[in-house]
């Protein structure tokens, strides 16, 4: 699929909207009745590589477009608000980098939650390969898991099971718990060395540094996955990028800057 010695020239982080979530999602020790809401930044990740552009995650489902009250009247009312604008539709995010969905050589799907896979429909017609963990495919029929746009059966799925060395400089790390087939991504970039995209295996620095428990489908498995990425980060002296950390998002390099 890709050259073994593929070079990751640049890792771009592209902001893609934000959510307001109950603090409980980030720290389950607080209890579900805690009323505080926290800002939750959302990004997609674009790799400029010697084999062409690779996309990691595709952002919000478009049911959230100018519709932060999507969950009104559901069990999540008051706990979760998604803020998506026209600029956050995937084609507009890619346009910032001079790209269209058809230009993407490979999509890495970390998981199928509503804020990470909402742009997947743009790869139906192109039949771009979408790399996904086998266990994440088990939720495609689960209407409570995420909106339909995030659970498309007709994509060109390239299915892996467990850790997977995509090429010398990109390694997929199986980190289930937050979702059945969640995966993180270890990238060796030409200019910045190793970067670990924790995605939702560590939502915040507090989760990563202090083992603060967060919302997960299987908390025990999630805790083991957290230990795994902590060890990998230490082994490679990698820079960890957390999934939804407001403080980190304020200081991180975003497009057109890169890692």
């Amino acid at each position: 699929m890709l050259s073994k010695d593929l070079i990751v020239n640049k890792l771009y982080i592209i902001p893609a909207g934000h959510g307001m979530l109950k603090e409980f999602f980030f720290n389950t020790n607080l209890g579900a009745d805690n009323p505080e809401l926290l800002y939750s930044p959302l990004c997609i990740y674009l790799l400029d590589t010697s084999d062409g552009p690779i996309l990691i995650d595709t952002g919000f489902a478009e049911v959230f477009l100018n519709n932060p009250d999507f969950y009104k009247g559901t069990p999540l009312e008051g706990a979760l608000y998604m803020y998506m604008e026209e600029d956050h539709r995937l084609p507009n995010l890619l346009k910032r980098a001079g790209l269209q969905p058809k230009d993407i050589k490979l999509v890495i799907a970390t998981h199928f939650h509503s804020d990470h896979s909402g742009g997947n429909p743009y790869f139906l017609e192109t039949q771009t390969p979408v790399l996904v963990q086998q266990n994440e495919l088990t939720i495609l029929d689960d209407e409570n898991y995420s909106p339909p746009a995030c659970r498309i059966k007709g994509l060109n799925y390239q299915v892996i099971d467990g850790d997977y060395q995509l090429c010398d400089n990109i390694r997929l790390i199986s980190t289930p718990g937050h979702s059945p087939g969640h995966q993180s991504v270890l990238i060796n970039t030409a200019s910045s060395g190793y970067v670990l995209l924790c995605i939702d295996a560590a939502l915040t620095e507090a989760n990563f540094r202090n083992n603060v428990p967060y919302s997960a489908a299987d908390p025990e498995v999630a805790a083991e996955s957290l230990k795994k990425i902590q060890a990998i980060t230490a082994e490679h002296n990698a820079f960890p990028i957390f999934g939804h950390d407001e403080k980190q998002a304020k200081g991180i390099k975003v497009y057109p800057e890169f890692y």
Side-chain angles (χ1 to χ4, degrees):
M1 186 186 302
L2 298 175
S3 304
K4 182 177 183 296
D5 57 355
L6 171 150
I7 297 170
V8 180
N9 300 309
K10 299 174 182 178
L11 161 61
Y12 292 114
I13 300 173
I14 303 178
H18 74 279
M20 294 297 297
L21 282 68
K22 269 196 172 184
E23 195 171 4
F24 167 79
F25 288 108
F26 300 90
N27 181 355
T28 53
N29 286 335
L30 297 175
D33 293 334
N34 184 294
E36 293 298 317
L37 294 174
L38 290 187
Y39 182 94
S40 175
L42 175 65
C43 298
I44 64 171
Y45 307 91
L46 178 66
L47 305 183
D48 173 350
T49 84
S50 54
D51 278 20
I54 295 174
L55 184 64
I56 302 172
D57 283 349
T58 62
F60 276 132
E62 293 185 11
V63 292
F64 299 115
L65 185 61
N66 299 318
N67 185 24
D69 290 323
F70 174 79
Y71 289 112
K72 189 173 183 178
T74 77
L76 289 173
E77 180 178 356
L80 182 61
Y81 301 90
M82 301 296 203
Y83 292 87
M84 179 189 187
E85 300 176 357
E86 180 66 24
D87 286 347
H88 301 138
R89 291 175 60 246
L90 183 65
N92 293 330
L93 295 172
L94 293 177
K95 188 177 180 181
R96 294 181 59 185
L99 298 172
Q100 301 178 51
K102 67 180 182 180
D103 299 320
I104 300 300
K105 303 301 182 185
L106 174 71
V107 176
I108 296 173
T110 65
H111 61 305
F112 292 149
H113 279 160
S114 58
D115 53 341
H116 290 265
S117 58
N120 286 5
Y122 289 101
F123 300 103
L124 260 174
E125 183 177 348
T126 63
Q127 280 296 286
T128 303
V130 177
L131 203 57
V132 63
Q133 289 285 336
Q134 180 175 328
N135 285 344
E136 195 67 10
L137 293 177
T138 63
I139 59 78
L140 289 182
D141 291 318
D142 186 350
E143 295 181 1
N144 295 316
Y145 185 85
S146 58
C150 302
R151 298 178 286 105
I152 298 175
K153 293 184 178 180
L155 291 174
N156 181 17
Y157 290 121
Q158 307 295 306
V159 183
I160 58 176
D161 187 13
D163 293 355
Y164 183 75
Q165 194 75 41
L166 183 60
C167 57
D168 288 346
N169 291 313
I170 304 174
R171 181 182 172 195
L172 304 182
I173 311 296
S174 175
T175 48
H178 178 75
S179 75
H182 186 280
Q183 58 185 344
S184 306
V185 189
L186 179 68
I187 304 158
N188 186 18
T189 72
S191 59
S192 301
Y194 281 100
V195 176
L196 180 68
L197 301 180
C198 301
I199 312 296
D200 289 358
L203 303 179
T204 66
E205 184 172 15
N207 302 141
F208 187 84
R209 306 286 184 201
N210 303 323
N211 298 309
V212 172
Y214 63 95
S215 181
D218 190 324
E220 290 187 8
V221 173
E224 290 303 312
S225 290
L226 179 58
K227 290 179 183 177
K228 183 176 181 178
I229 60 171
Q230 288 168 336
I232 290 171
T233 299
E235 177 186 354
H236 294 279
N237 193 27
F239 172 51
I241 295 177
F242 313 117
H244 301 279
D245 189 296
E246 179 182 11
K247 182 178 178 181
Q248 187 184 55
K250 290 178 178 178
I252 212 164
K253 294 179 183 179
V254 297
Y255 186 87
E257 294 185 281
F258 57 88
Y259 289 93

